[in-house]
Amino acid sequence: MKFQQEPAQILADLAELRAADAPTHGGRVLSYVYDSGLADLDELAASAIRSVQPVNGLDPTTFTSVAAMEREVVAFARGMLGGDDDVVGSVTTGGTESCLLAVKTARDLWAGSGVPRLLAPVTAHAAFQKAAHYFGLDLDLVPVQADGRVSADEVIARMGPDVALVVVSAPSYPHAALDPVVAVAAAAQERGIPCHVDACIGGWVLPFWEGLEPWDFRVPGVTSISADLHKFGYAPKGASVLLHRGRDRHRAQYFATTRWPGYPVVNPTMLGSKSAGPLAAAWAITRALGSDGFGELAASCARSTAALISVVDGIEGLRVVGSPAGPLFAVATDDSAPADRRVDPHHWADAARSRGWLLQLQPALAQSDGTFLPHTTHLTITPVTESVLEPLSEALVAAADDVRGIPPVTAEQVLGALPPELVAGLAEIGPLDSDAAWSILQQVGIGGEVGALPEQLAPLLALIAALPAPLTERLLVELLARLVEP
């Protein structure tokens, strides 16, 4: 048949679209992408995906390669994470699905009455907030200390018979804090509460990191762990593993029904039909690298992380938050510096962006106990970072010099720049329809060009912090929805 458009032109159009993306390779983006720096590994992953392109991961009895690859990936992950033969699990389509399934499993196994409770530090990934929303659990978020680490005593004090699952992170994404897994898991086990370790970002790198407290299946009381293959497993999106201690716990993760006139449906994960591509890529990568290869890449990340922390420590007006565990860290203003020598982390990130480096801005958060987590900038370090350490370090220092002494954007400033009638009505705004939400976005200067964000993100993050969370969330939904509307 004759195609409506020539394949060569289609691919040329795709290349043009991709040219507008942030670069996925080369170390310029310090979040979202995990570049091993090994072109051969990327090519291996691409070839593995192509070889299973038509395969439906829904049915491993029909496509037996799916079962074989998943079995090997789970076995590799189990060994890496300190599990014995009683630890089993599944490959999922990403960390969010792994977290959702961990919560769904706990809810289904919970034997209490009333509404089950999900207990976690406020720094636990937002996927657990999604899980509580989707599956009808009460969400109990424990405030963390200034270094991003949660107190084990605070978590333990909130444990009760209504808790279906307690979650700790290895490490948390916002500040790279390794939660007190040993103490929390022990207390949970004593009370008959399952304990999930969210190692989505750390699971494939922390096993090779030195000087850490125990956090994996070697810790009694840990009942499940999530670890993303598409992060420091270097697989394409989306692939993760969710491992459980005990076959019966794993089986509770499944959904099965024969109560319809079609084929029997047995799903270990939330999706039915799904691509086998990310699984095949992850399987190929684990075979190619092996434990030694992952260890070498982790060592590269460790060297680069130490070097960049040293760079930030040497920048007057900035500080690294807490004691980061793994190849990621957050940077805040050093309030001990004189006001005219302080560096606002969001202005710093904007200045670094103007120099071609993309750091991730994180908003401030008022915790439920009245304490306040300041706004920060996040950096995730990958193996490729080592090849660009010198220009990146120079850019971070120069960006700080560009903005030193410039005060952070305040809520008063950002609200003062809005139309007075809009600000006056914000407190009384009820549920917004799409047109009303879009109108507000345009009035605050975001909706002029669909999908376009302002060049300086510091004011936008200040606006997010200044507005009530429900309103901000509704506006962000509208912004993202408009982005993909025809």
Side-chain angles (χ1 to χ4, degrees), residues 435-454:
D435 289 341
W438 184 238
S439 175
I440 293 175
L441 283 170
Q442 291 176 312
Q443 291 181 73
V444 300
I446 299 175
E449 181 181 345
V450 175
L453 292 175

Side-chain angles (χ1 to χ4, degrees), residues 10 34 166 177 188 268 279 313 436:
I10 294 170
Y34 299 82
V166 60
L279 168 62
D313 285 342

Side-chain angles (χ1 to χ4, degrees), residues 96-104 107 118 125-139 165 270:
T96 293
E97 188 177 28
S98 288
C99 296
L100 290 173
L101 287 168
V103 175
K104 179 264 181 194
R107 184 204 63 180
L118 176 60
H125 196 277
F128 291 99
Q129 298 187 32
K130 181 187 287 189
H133 176 71
Y134 280 3
F135 301 135
L137 287 83
D138 284 339
L139 182 64
L165 184 68
M270 300 185 74

Side-chain angles (χ1 to χ4, degrees), residues 70-90 203-204 207 215-218 225 227 229 241-247 251 286:
E70 185 164 5
R71 187 164 55 243
E72 287 193 31
V73 170
V74 168
F76 190 101
R78 176 173 70 183
M80 183 180 64
L81 297 174
D84 57 20
D85 290 347
D86 194 39
V87 171
V88 291
S90 303
W204 289 82
W215 57 272
D216 59 13
F217 281 114
R218 288 168 290 191
I225 297 178
L229 289 147
V241 290
L242 174 60
L243 302 182
H244 299 274
R245 193 193 300 273
R247 287 173 176 79
R251 288 5 174 211
T286 58

Side-chain angles (χ1 to χ4, degrees), residues 122 141-146 149-151 154 158 365-373:
V122 73
L141 296 178
V142 182
V144 300
Q145 302 165 66
R149 186 173 163 91
V150 72
S151 163
E154 291 289 332
R158 298 196 187 200
L365 179 71
Q367 300 190 93
S368 60
D369 64 352
T371 60
F372 190 76
L373 296 177

Side-chain angles (χ1 to χ4, degrees), residues 261-286:
Y263 61 92
V265 172
V266 183
N267 298 145
T269 58
M270 300 185 74
L271 297 185
S273 291
K274 57 186 176 183
S275 170
L279 168 62
W283 171 81
I285 288 170
T286 58

